[in-house]
Amino acid sequence: MAERSTAAVDVADNSGDEPLPAKAEETTADGVARTRHDKKSAENGKPQDEEKETASKPVPPELHSGHKLARRYRLEECVTRLDGFSSWRAVDEKLRRAVGVHLLPADHTRARAVLAAARSSALLGDPRFVQVLDAVEENDLVYVVHEWLPDATDLRTLLAAGPLESHDAYQMVSQISWAMAAAHREGLAHLRLTPNSVLRTSSGQWRIRGLAVNAALRGISSETPQRTDTEAIGALLYASLTQRWPYESDAFGLSGLPKGVGLIAPDQVRAGVHRGLSELSMRALVNDGATASRQEQPCTTPDDLVKAVGELPRIRPPEPAFTPPPEYQRTTYQQGSYGHPGSRTGASRPLPPPPGPLEGRTGRALKWAVSALLIAALGLGSWQLADALMDRQGDDSGNSDSDDGGKKSGAKRPTLPLTVQDAAEFYPDGKPQHPDDVRLTHDENPSTYWRTYSYTGGPTLAPYKKGLGIVYDLGGERDVSGASVGLHYSGADTAGSLYATDSLSPSASLDSLRKIADGKTDGSTLRFSADKPVKARYVLVWLTAIPYSGGDEYSKAGYKQGITEVKFTG
C-alpha cells in the first residue's frame, strides 16, 4: 500500500466522478476483469458477441497481472478501473524499471484524443512534469506508458497528516505555477489539477502528473483552459494552508466549507496562516468577482500567478526544533537521605560513610600507574611548548622584514572539502538546458559534464538570458568559503557568481538570494573565494558569461560552456 500511495502514476481518481451502476466492473480472483453486463447476458443465454455489438460503450479487453504489452511492459497491479479505461503499475523488462500504464480499447470514443494528448505531452520534455515514455496503438489496444516515481508523495497523502508549513506551501504554488505557465506557452493544459496529481519528491521538488492525458481520459474540455488551471492551483494552495477543500462538497479526503457561507479566506479558516499566501489563493479562485482583503486584481492565468508569487516577500524555511537536554537530577546521596527525601520524620538518619581510598596491592599499582602517566604528559607538554617557542623565535628573526600581508597569510585558517548530496538545474525563466546531466557535475569523473546550449550572442548572456546554473545540496547547513568549478570549454571571459539559496527549486528569484562570491577566469577552472564563510545548505553556481567555442559532436559553434566537476570548501 505504501508504494501505491507514493508512486507517481497518473491514476484515475474517483473523486467527483459518478459510477455507472449498470456497467460497474468486477474483478475475479485471478485478476481478470469482467463486467456485470457480460454476466447478465450469460444468464439469459444470449451470446456475448451479440451483446458486445449492441453495447453503447466499448468494453476493455480482459487483461490480468503478468500480461505483456509489446513483449516489454509486464502488467503487475491494476490500480484503477473507470469509465472504460484502466491504470496499471507495470515493469519495463527491457530497462528494468517500474512504469505506469493507461489502457483502453482502440475503438473507445476517447482513444484518439488520449493518443494525441500523450504525444503532445511527451514533446514538452519539461522535468517538472511526470514524463510520458510511450504512446502506442497495437492489437486493438491503446496504451500510454509514463514514469513511476516510488520516492514521491502526492499532496493528498501529505495533507492527511495536516496542513503544510508556509514555506512548503510557497514552494508548491511557486513551482506548480511556473510549470503550468511553461505548459500553456506550448499550448498544453492540464484541466484536472487535484491533490492526487501533484507530487513532492524526496529532494523537495514538486512535479505534476497527467498533463493533458488526465483530461483526455475523462473527456474533459474547457473554453478557458488557463482560467481552469489557475483556479485549480488556487484550490491546491487553499487546501495546503487550511486542510480544507475550498468548495461546499468534500473531496480528496478533505472536508468542504460550511454550506451557505461562501468562500472564506484561509486566514479566517485557520489561525496562523501566512497572510500573503492567503490573499494569493483568493485571487486565484473563482470568487464571483471578490478578491482578497487588499482588493488586488484576480489572477486569471498561470503567468499572473507567477508574477504574484514573485511579488511576495521571501518566506524562509522553519528553524529546526531545538530539543533541550534533560534537566539535571540530583541523587538521593547528594540530598542527604536515602529513598524519598521528603518523607523524613523525627531525627535525621546518619550519612553513609564515603568510600575509602584505594587500598591493597592493586590500588597502589593503579595509583603509581596514574602518577607515571601524569608525569609523562607534563614532560611531553613542556617539551612541545619549548620547541614551539624556539621555532617562533627563529621565524621572527628570519622574517623581521616581512610586511603585514605576510603575517595575515600565515594565520589563514585551513579549508575542508564539502560533500555534494544532490543537485538540480536552476532556470528561473522556465527554460532548462540539460537537467538530466546535472548529476555528472559531482560524479568524481572529470570526463563527464553538463553543458549549456550554444548561443549566437556573448560572452555576456544578458539581456537575452540572466544566466545559467546549478543548485547543489550539501546535505545540511555548512560554512561555505569557496568553490572550484571545472570547465569543459576553456577560453576568455567565463564569469559567474556563487549564491546561497533555500532549496533545490529551479524558480527562486536571484534578488532574494545571498551572494557568496564572484569569479572570472580565462582557463579551465573557475574559482570562487568568499571574504568570510557563509552558512548555507543549498549553493547555486551561476554563470553570467561564457566563451566562444567551435562545433563538436553535441552542439554547433557559438558561445557555450560545460561543467565537469564542482568542489566546495568550507
Side-chain angles (χ1 to χ4, degrees):
M1 293 295 293
E3 184 177 12
R4 181 186 299 186
S5 65
T6 59
V9 59
D10 184 14
V11 299
D13 174 33
N14 290 318
S15 301
D17 292 334
E18 293 293 333
L20 303 176
K23 297 177 182 178
E25 296 173 341
E26 298 174 345
T27 303
T28 61
D30 62 352
V32 179
R34 298 194 180 103
T35 62
R36 296 179 183 175
H37 185 74
D38 292 341
K39 185 176 179 181
K40 183 177 179 180
S41 64
E43 292 174 354
N44 295 335
K46 193 172 183 178
Q48 292 187 11
D49 292 339
E50 183 179 346
E51 286 289 317
K52 290 180 181 178
E53 291 176 0
T54 60
S56 60
K57 297 181 71 173
V59 179
E62 294 185 356
L63 300 173
H64 54 80
S65 299
H67 184 90
K68 285 188 181 181
L69 301 172
R71 294 187 296 179
R72 175 175 178 177
Y73 305 110
R74 186 180 72 248
L75 302 182
E76 291 288 322
E77 178 187 7
C78 182
V79 181
T80 301
R81 294 184 186 275
L82 178 69
D83 202 12
F85 70 90
S86 58
S87 299
W88 294 75
R89 177 175 61 83
V91 174
D92 183 349
E93 294 187 337
K94 184 176 182 180
L95 298 180
R96 297 183 180 180
R97 62 178 177 180
V99 295
V101 179
H102 296 308
L103 282 165
L104 67 165
D107 56 352
H108 196 288
T109 55
R110 302 172 193 158
R112 294 287 171 266
V114 170
L115 275 178
R119 289 165 181 168
S120 299
S121 177
L123 292 176
L124 183 60
D126 193 318
R128 292 170 293 195
F129 294 91
V130 174
Q131 299 296 300
V132 173
L133 306 175
D134 207 352
V136 180
E137 179 180 357
E138 181 181 64
N139 297 332
D140 297 329
L141 276 176
V142 167
Y143 58 90
V144 177
V145 184
H146 51 85
E147 285 183 293
W148 181 282
L149 304 179
D151 67 332
T153 306
D154 59 48
L155 182 59
R156 177 175 183 168
T157 303
L158 294 174
L159 293 180
L164 299 185
E165 294 283 350
S166 296
H167 176 73
D168 292 334
Y170 170 79
Q171 291 293 330
M172 185 276 295
V173 70
S174 174
Q175 295 182 34
I176 298 301
S177 300
W178 273 97
M180 289 310 304
H184 278 282
R185 282 194 292 268
E186 300 297 328
L188 292 173
H190 195 292
L191 305 183
R192 187 66 182 173
L193 275 173
T194 69
N196 287 339
S197 59
V198 175
L199 309 162
R200 186 175 68 182
T201 65
S202 57
S203 63
Q205 291 180 293
W206 293 86
R207 300 185 67 179
I208 302 172
R209 61 187 176 193
L211 177 66
V213 177
N214 237 4
L217 284 169
R218 292 169 176 79
I220 298 174
S221 61
S222 173
E223 294 182 357
T224 56
Q226 295 201 58
R227 185 68 193 94
T228 300
D229 284 341
T230 304
E231 180 186 358
I233 298 173
L236 295 177
L237 178 57
Y238 193 104
S240 300
L241 296 173
T242 64
Q243 203 183 11
R244 300 287 293 269
W245 193 236
Y247 305 101
E248 292 185 352
S249 59
D250 300 345
F252 310 106
L254 301 172
S255 300
L257 297 178
K259 297 184 182 299
V261 299
L263 184 60
I264 310 172
D267 55 0
Q268 297 178 10
V269 175
R270 175 176 165 266
V273 172
H274 189 278
R275 181 67 177 275
L277 293 177
S278 174
E279 293 178 351
L280 182 63
S281 68
M282 295 292 286
R283 293 173 62 186
L285 286 167
V286 172
N287 194 19
D288 296 331
T291 57
S293 60
R294 290 174 56 190
Q295 298 299 318
E296 298 283 355
Q297 290 297 320
C299 298
T300 58
T301 68
D303 280 317
D304 290 345
L305 267 181
V306 169
K307 183 179 179 181
V309 170
E311 293 173 351
L312 287 176
R314 185 179 181 187
I315 302 177
R316 294 183 176 273
E319 295 292 335
F322 173 72
T323 304
E327 185 178 354
Y328 176 68
Q329 300 291 333
R330 295 175 59 88
T331 64
T332 55
Y333 175 77
Q334 291 168 324
Q335 291 171 341
S337 64
Y338 185 81
H340 301 284
S343 62
R344 297 172 56 190
T345 58
S348 61
R349 298 180 181 179
L351 294 175
L358 293 173
E359 299 175 352
R361 181 179 300 174
T362 304
R364 287 194 296 272
L366 183 59
K367 288 189 287 185
W368 278 108
V370 172
S371 301
L373 287 174
L374 289 174
I375 293 171
L378 287 173
L380 181 61
S382 300
W383 176 79
Q384 289 180 336
L385 179 60
D387 186 62
L389 289 174
M390 293 178 65
D391 289 344
R392 183 174 180 181
Q393 290 176 358
D395 292 342
D396 291 343
S397 62
N399 300 316
S400 58
D401 297 333
S402 62
D403 56 5
D404 292 340
K407 293 180 181 178
K408 292 181 180 178
S409 64
K412 188 175 182 180
R413 58 181 292 182
T415 59
L416 298 175
L418 303 177
T419 304
V420 175
Q421 300 293 337
D422 198 4
E425 191 172 303
F426 184 80
Y427 43 96
D429 59 355
K431 299 177 181 179
Q433 303 291 302
H434 296 90
D436 294 337
D437 295 337
V438 167
R439 57 185 174 79
L440 303 178
T441 64
H442 58 96
D443 63 351
E444 303 295 337
N445 184 1
S447 64
T448 60
Y449 59 94
W450 166 88
R451 61 187 176 88
T452 70
Y453 289 122
S454 180
Y455 294 90
T456 56
T460 302
L461 292 170
Y464 307 105
K465 200 171 185 68
K466 290 184 178 180
L468 308 162
I470 301 173
V471 182
Y472 293 90
D473 180 4
L474 303 181
E477 280 208 343
R478 304 286 188 267
D479 289 325
V480 181
S481 60
S484 173
V485 181
L487 303 175
H488 183 67
Y489 300 107
S490 59
D493 300 322
T494 295
S497 301
L498 208 62
Y499 290 93
T501 182
D502 290 333
S503 67
L504 290 175
S505 170
S507 56
S509 172
L510 280 175
D511 297 334
S512 65
L513 307 184
R514 292 173 293 161
K515 181 178 287 189
I516 300 175
D518 292 318
K520 186 175 182 180
T521 185
D522 294 339
S524 59
T525 303
L526 178 60
R527 302 184 190 279
F528 300 98
S529 180
D531 294 335
K532 60 180 181 179
V534 176
K535 278 193 175 295
R537 173 176 178 176
Y538 303 97
V539 182
L540 167 63
V541 175
W542 186 243
L543 301 180
T544 55
I546 53 180
Y548 183 88
S549 184
D552 54 29
E553 58 181 327
Y554 296 112
S555 60
K556 61 183 180 179
Y559 292 91
K560 56 187 176 180
Q561 188 53 276
I563 296 179
T564 57
E565 286 295 316
V566 175
K567 304 289 184 182
F568 294 97
T569 55

